[in-house]
Amino acid sequence: MRLLTVICFVSFSIIFSSQSAFAQSGTKQQSTDYSQYTHTIKSVVLNEERTVVVQLPKSYQAEPNKVYPVVYRLDGAGNIPLASAVIERLQNDNRAPEVIIVAIENTNRLRDFYPTVNKEPQGPVGEGGGAATFLAFFEQELIPLVNKNYRTHDYKVISGASAGGVFALYALQAKPELFQAHIAYSPAVWWNYGAMVKSTKSFITKTKDLNNYVYTNIGEEAGIMRERYDELQQSLQSHKVQGLRFFSDAFDGISHGLTSAAGVFNAYYNLFLPKQMPISALTDDVVSIDAYYQNLSQQWGEQVSPPDRAVRLLGYNLTDNQQFERAIEVFKYNIKNHPKSVSAISALSYGYEMQGNISQALAHMESALAIADDSYPYINYLKETKARLQVELDKRN
């Protein structure tokens, strides 16, 4: 488990409203880090006014051509600081992009979040059943307005806890392409005799391809809540749907109300692809490197080509594990993308040396030196390595 203790920061907001769209006007108040805008929307779909708070990334004003993924967080703006702090830590480690966070305030959360009306005596009988209408509000009104007024790209996350977690799972089934990631902290799947468990199992068994991410967790909950959650988790875990990335956590001793705080780090750590491709994502074919960075670019909203250093680290990992042929293939692939990189060429030399092919190691070290100048920080290392390789080759001859 990765549990992160975060210090939440205070953001100030800009408050203004509109009849049917977001108005960019009013007096601006801004913290040194993030800007927040509060919008009041007269929803035709819901037939009521709804309030949403939009937090923009730090770079938003300084980089006018940059676009951002969007995290839609249920249960209001009180959830922004925790998610924001965790995602920022991941950004600092090149493990997440900057994001726009849209928090939706509640009016009647049981009505909006549950897709079925509860008939089970242990819960509030007669409540629920409005999730389809609430999802239509997202699709027809909220998301189009956010896309119109802010620089977004088509990577959207829906995140909620308890009843909100049920809504996130419902959105996956009802509109699987609307959001690209679904986060459900301790989803209250006990509701209405486990109706969400049944519908999720049916959906998963019938689905063959699902390009999506799902995170769920649970705390110390017991009884039918735990039984029905375990059934849900096992179904998602056991059915290997192509393209679905599923992660889950169980936290002993964590109350239902704290499962979002306990799980937020893992939820986003596993969601966003880091710029340093993990060795586990590398197959026997270097095409997997291209595929990884294509997926990362789709998430991050910017074109990220395979970085020189990241690919070299993959090759070094392979040499450490004495997989020399694969390492050499990765180093060659890297040179194709970075033909003028002294470090890329010297890395290939190292791969050949570890393999025992001293002649090729020397040849590529000479190639690296041919394009390096005295400003290269490791120029002495290159010269010393060339001399050492030459001595070794002379001995063998």
Side-chain angles (χ1 to χ4, degrees):
M1 303 293 172
R2 299 180 182 91
L3 290 174
L4 185 66
T5 301
V6 294
I7 300 174
C8 299
F9 48 83
V10 179
S11 299
F12 298 96
S13 62
I14 303 165
I15 302 177
F16 55 96
S17 64
S18 66
Q19 292 290 319
S20 60
F22 293 166
Q24 297 291 334
S25 62
T27 303
K28 182 175 181 181
Q29 296 177 342
Q30 180 177 330
S31 74
T32 56
D33 293 330
Y34 300 95
S35 297
Q36 287 188 2
Y37 297 82
T38 299
H39 305 278
T40 301
I41 308 167
K42 280 192 173 180
S43 170
V44 175
V45 173
L46 297 174
N47 193 30
E48 65 180 7
E49 287 192 350
R50 297 304 294 254
T51 300
V52 299
V53 177
V54 179
Q55 177 173 286
L56 301 181
K58 292 180 179 180
S59 70
Y60 193 86
Q61 303 300 334
E63 299 189 40
N65 296 320
K66 189 173 182 179
V67 295
Y68 303 87
V70 184
V71 174
Y72 288 90
R73 184 56 165 94
L74 303 170
D75 283 326
N79 293 292
I80 290 179
L82 180 60
S84 183
V86 169
I87 294 172
E88 181 176 337
R89 286 294 183 95
L90 294 172
Q91 292 163 7
N92 292 341
D93 197 41
N94 278 324
R95 299 198 65 96
E98 289 186 285
V99 301
I100 294 171
I101 301 178
V102 178
I104 303 94
E105 302 293 343
N106 294 322
T107 55
N108 186 335
R109 72 189 297 270
L110 298 185
R111 176 202 66 191
D112 289 341
F113 293 169
Y114 287 116
T116 62
V117 174
N118 182 51
K119 299 177 181 179
E120 188 168 8
Q122 83 147 3
V125 175
E127 295 285 355
T133 303
F134 195 52
L135 188 60
F137 162 69
F138 272 88
E139 184 177 27
Q140 298 173 26
E141 296 181 326
L142 180 56
I143 292 174
L145 286 173
V146 171
N147 290 345
K148 178 180 178 181
N149 288 275
Y150 298 101
R151 298 194 309 274
T152 67
H153 83 92
D154 194 24
Y155 195 87
K156 301 181 293 297
V157 181
I158 180 73
S159 174
S162 193
V166 173
F167 181 79
L169 294 173
Y170 169 74
L172 174 70
Q173 300 165 45
K175 295 283 182 179
E177 296 180 357
L178 186 59
F179 300 98
Q180 287 65 55
H182 299 74
I183 297 173
Y185 302 114
S186 191
V189 293
W190 62 267
W191 182 268
N192 193 27
Y193 298 98
M196 178 51 58
V197 178
K198 297 170 186 175
S199 65
T200 302
K201 290 175 69 176
S202 176
F203 172 76
I204 284 295
T205 55
K206 294 177 182 178
T207 302
K208 296 181 179 179
D209 191 2
L210 187 63
N211 184 22
N212 221 296
Y213 170 90
V214 175
Y215 172 85
T216 67
N217 73 14
I218 195 166
E220 63 183 3
E221 294 94 330
I224 62 169
M225 168 63 177
R226 187 56 176 257
E227 292 173 9
R228 292 170 184 174
Y229 174 85
D230 287 347
E231 187 179 355
L232 171 84
Q233 191 271 341
Q234 290 165 12
S235 178
L236 287 166
Q237 192 74 54
S238 59
H239 288 87
K240 303 300 181 183
V241 179
Q242 183 176 350
L244 174 62
R245 296 192 299 132
F246 172 64
F247 296 87
S248 64
D249 284 316
F251 298 107
D252 294 335
I254 298 296
S255 69
H256 180 72
L258 289 177
T259 51
S260 57
V264 64
F265 178 79
N266 280 358
Y268 290 106
Y269 179 88
N270 291 314
L271 167 59
F272 291 119
L273 300 177
K275 283 191 175 180
Q276 173 55 58
M277 178 180 173
I279 192 66
S280 60
L282 180 66
T283 68
D284 290 336
D285 192 335
V286 291
V287 172
S288 62
I289 302 175
D290 288 322
Y292 179 88
Y293 284 99
Q294 287 172 4
N295 290 334
L296 184 147
S297 297
Q298 180 190 16
Q299 275 195 346
W300 288 48
E302 58 185 273
Q303 186 58 45
V304 180
S305 300
D308 181 4
R309 183 175 183 274
V311 178
R312 278 188 281 121
L313 289 176
L314 291 174
Y316 289 138
N317 187 297
L318 293 170
T319 59
D320 289 345
N321 288 282
Q322 298 186 355
Q323 299 181 50
F324 303 123
E325 288 292 340
R326 291 184 69 199
I328 288 168
E329 185 180 8
V330 168
F331 289 138
K332 286 181 176 178
Y333 163 90
N334 195 36
I335 291 174
K336 288 182 180 179
N337 290 333
H338 305 280
K340 300 298 183 181
S341 168
V342 176
S343 296
I345 298 170
S346 64
L348 179 57
S349 171
Y350 176 78
Y352 278 122
E353 181 183 0
M354 292 298 99
Q355 187 190 40
N357 190 336
I358 302 302
S359 62
Q360 282 293 329
L362 178 60
H364 285 88
M365 187 54 66
E366 290 173 340
S367 297
L369 276 165
I371 62 173
D373 55 34
D374 289 339
S375 66
Y376 183 71
Y378 309 111
I379 188 69
N380 290 333
Y381 161 79
L382 299 183
K383 292 176 179 178
E384 292 168 3
T385 302
K386 177 190 172 184
R388 177 174 54 76
L389 290 172
Q390 185 65 64
V391 170
E392 179 65 25
L393 188 62
D394 291 342
K395 287 181 181 178
R396 295 189 180 191
N397 292 334

